[in-house]
Amino acid sequence: APWDGQGGGSAAAAPQRARAQATAIPPVVQLRLRSPLLRAALLGAALIGATIAEEGSGAAGGSSPVVLLNGDNFAMAVKASPMLFVDFYAPWCGHNKQLEPEFDKAALSLAGRVPFAKVDASLEADLAEEFQIDGYPTLLFFRDGGREEYTGVRDNSSLVTWVVSKSGSALIELSSEDELDQRLDQRGALTAFVALGGPSLKASFSDVADYNRKLGIFLFVPRASGASVIEVHRGIDERVELPVDAAAPDTDRIRDFCQEEAVPLFGEITENNYGIYNARAGLGMLWAVFGPDAYQEDARRRREVFRDLAMRFPDYPVVYIDPVAYQEHVEEELGCTAPPVLVFQVGNLSSSSLADPRRYMTSLQEEGLTAQMLSAWVADALAGKIEAEDPLDLPDAEEA
């Protein structure tokens, strides 16, 4: 067996096994994960740092902060996260058993900054071959398409120090407010967090950025004079501000502000931000599905109506979606084949605890549609005064 100074089990000695039942996803969730958005949601939530306690749904060891990956979701995980630290292990390996509590502690220390994951290489032979895993444990750090092996001491402190040294800052420093305007024009559906101020604010904001990088993009612009401020640019031309003390910025207050204001009142939902929306949508979500030819223009034209609706029902994020790029999701998950419509999803589609989330649908054809009219419809749906659409056509467990 190969040794690296601390010892490690040989992959060649791994017993042959079939894929374990523990990695299976429940049939209800399997069907929903055919949609790219829902696959991104479940995996993205885990990578952001959420704990998935259900067996086989994504987290290793129940309450562990480490995400369990396999051949079906590994490539998606690497794509979904700019950085990922992965333990290729074998459950029978004594060195892995010693590493596990230290790896978990390191994952907790860096939760929200760098996600940690595990792959049972004794089962995932294709992944083990692809990444040349010939001993256990093998720890690989993935960043921006590249990878590097960790060969240091396997304790919490050493792991954290090394990963931080490889992570780099999530904060992008710009030279001018003109350059900032150009960046904001290119942000797409992502939320942009901006700090304008001096060195003290930069240091504080950099710390916030590193631990919240999955929320969006973080930008800093030096400002020698004038007020120091944090800006959040989100959705369709939405902007919220937080004035800060230039000499002694409150990092906790800045962090809380960024987390609370990350989701727009009305914004486009994509694979890049679905996990963030989904984390706020435990009770459900309102989906505006416009026609494919001008969905962006329709969303902009009616943004005030939907912002008003969002303020009336803050527990339900209000979003719009590209009906072409996400046609499968629109038709199969939302049940929409004749836009423009508003779909009210009651329940979280990516949760296996809700077998039959309810869906309600109303037309958006009427030109004079107001937030008050839509609010009355939502209230009637919640009160059970209107009939839900047919539930998802879920397979039996034997068919999934």
Side-chain angles (χ1 to χ4, degrees):
W3 289 76
D4 59 5
Q6 299 181 84
S10 169
Q16 298 297 313
R17 312 162 188 234
R19 182 180 292 271
Q21 287 288 337
T23 62
I25 297 174
V28 168
V29 179
Q30 278 186 339
L31 177 71
R32 294 175 187 156
L33 295 187
R34 293 174 189 170
S35 161
L37 278 177
L38 292 176
R39 291 197 300 269
L42 190 63
L43 188 57
L47 293 176
I48 287 171
T51 298
I52 310 292
E54 297 146 300
E55 180 180 359
S57 65
S63 61
S64 170
V66 180
V67 180
L68 179 61
L69 300 177
N70 56 40
D72 296 329
N73 60 13
F74 188 89
M76 184 184 300
V78 173
K79 180 181 178 182
S81 181
M83 294 179 289
L84 188 63
F85 193 37
V86 184
D87 171 19
F88 289 84
Y89 75 102
W92 46 263
C93 176
H95 300 292
N96 267 120
K97 293 177 181 179
Q98 294 175 353
L99 169 66
E100 184 173 14
E102 298 299 310
F103 197 71
D104 281 358
K105 284 186 279 188
L108 279 173
S109 298
L110 294 175
R113 182 170 182 175
V114 178
F116 280 45
K118 301 176 75 170
V119 172
D120 186 344
S122 69
L123 301 181
E124 304 297 336
D126 289 343
L127 288 177
E129 181 179 359
E130 178 180 355
F131 297 109
Q132 301 177 326
I133 308 302
D134 57 6
Y136 306 119
T138 295
L139 302 176
L140 297 182
F141 181 71
F142 294 81
R143 181 180 180 186
D144 299 330
R147 67 179 184 268
E148 182 176 349
E149 184 174 358
Y150 175 78
T151 58
V153 178
R154 300 188 194 120
D155 61 37
N156 169 34
S157 177
S158 299
L159 291 169
V160 169
T161 299
W162 187 83
V163 171
V164 169
S165 73
K166 299 297 179 181
S167 301
S169 175
L171 186 62
I172 301 170
E173 183 170 354
L174 306 178
S175 60
S176 67
E177 295 190 31
D178 287 340
E179 187 180 359
L180 172 62
D181 291 339
Q182 294 175 9
R183 284 293 189 118
L184 293 177
D185 287 342
Q186 299 167 358
R187 67 180 176 84
L190 292 176
T191 295
F193 304 87
V194 180
L196 299 102
S200 295
L201 178 57
K202 178 184 175 181
S204 178
F205 197 57
S206 179
D207 186 57
V208 172
D210 286 343
Y211 282 89
N212 294 276
R213 65 179 71 217
K214 291 295 290 185
L215 292 180
I217 55 176
F218 288 80
L219 307 171
F220 174 77
V221 180
R223 177 179 277 181
S225 60
S228 294
V229 64
I230 304 295
E231 299 177 347
V232 177
H233 297 257
R234 62 192 191 186
I236 305 174
D237 301 331
E238 292 182 29
R239 184 177 75 174
V240 289
E241 295 185 355
L242 175 71
V244 295
D245 184 339
D250 186 333
T251 302
D252 290 341
R253 186 179 177 216
I254 294 172
R255 179 202 62 221
D256 292 346
F257 173 75
C258 291
Q259 292 175 349
E260 291 167 4
E261 300 294 346
V263 175
L265 292 171
F266 179 54
E268 183 175 5
I269 191 166
T270 71
E271 289 181 69
N272 293 328
N273 61 15
Y274 192 113
I276 300 167
Y277 275 110
N278 197 64
R280 309 286 179 96
L283 297 179
M285 198 179 304
L286 285 150
W287 302 74
V289 183
F290 300 108
D293 296 333
Y295 82 97
Q296 291 279 14
E297 292 83 351
D298 288 341
R300 178 171 290 276
R301 179 167 55 88
R302 292 189 165 180
R303 65 188 184 277
E304 295 302 333
V305 171
F306 288 104
R307 286 175 185 170
D308 192 346
L309 179 65
M311 288 188 284
R312 295 170 187 242
F313 294 93
D315 292 331
Y316 302 92
V318 183
V319 302
Y320 67 97
I321 187 170
D322 183 336
V324 175
Y326 301 109
Q327 180 179 357
E328 182 181 8
H329 186 92
V330 168
E331 294 181 356
E332 297 185 12
E333 302 296 339
L334 301 181
C336 173
T337 56
V341 298
L342 180 64
V343 179
F344 185 19
Q345 164 204 320
V346 180
N348 193 321
L349 283 173
S350 67
S351 171
S352 62
S353 64
L354 291 169
D356 291 309
R358 302 190 307 280
R359 294 173 300 164
Y360 303 87
M361 195 176 303
T362 189
S363 174
L364 295 176
Q365 288 280 9
E366 188 175 339
E367 277 301 319
L369 207 59
T370 65
Q372 185 174 0
M373 295 165 63
L374 292 177
S375 296
W377 174 78
V378 171
D380 285 346
L382 291 173
K385 295 181 180 180
I386 57 178
E387 188 174 349
E389 300 291 316
D390 292 337
L392 293 171
D393 183 19
L394 299 175
D396 294 331
E398 294 78 9
E399 299 174 354

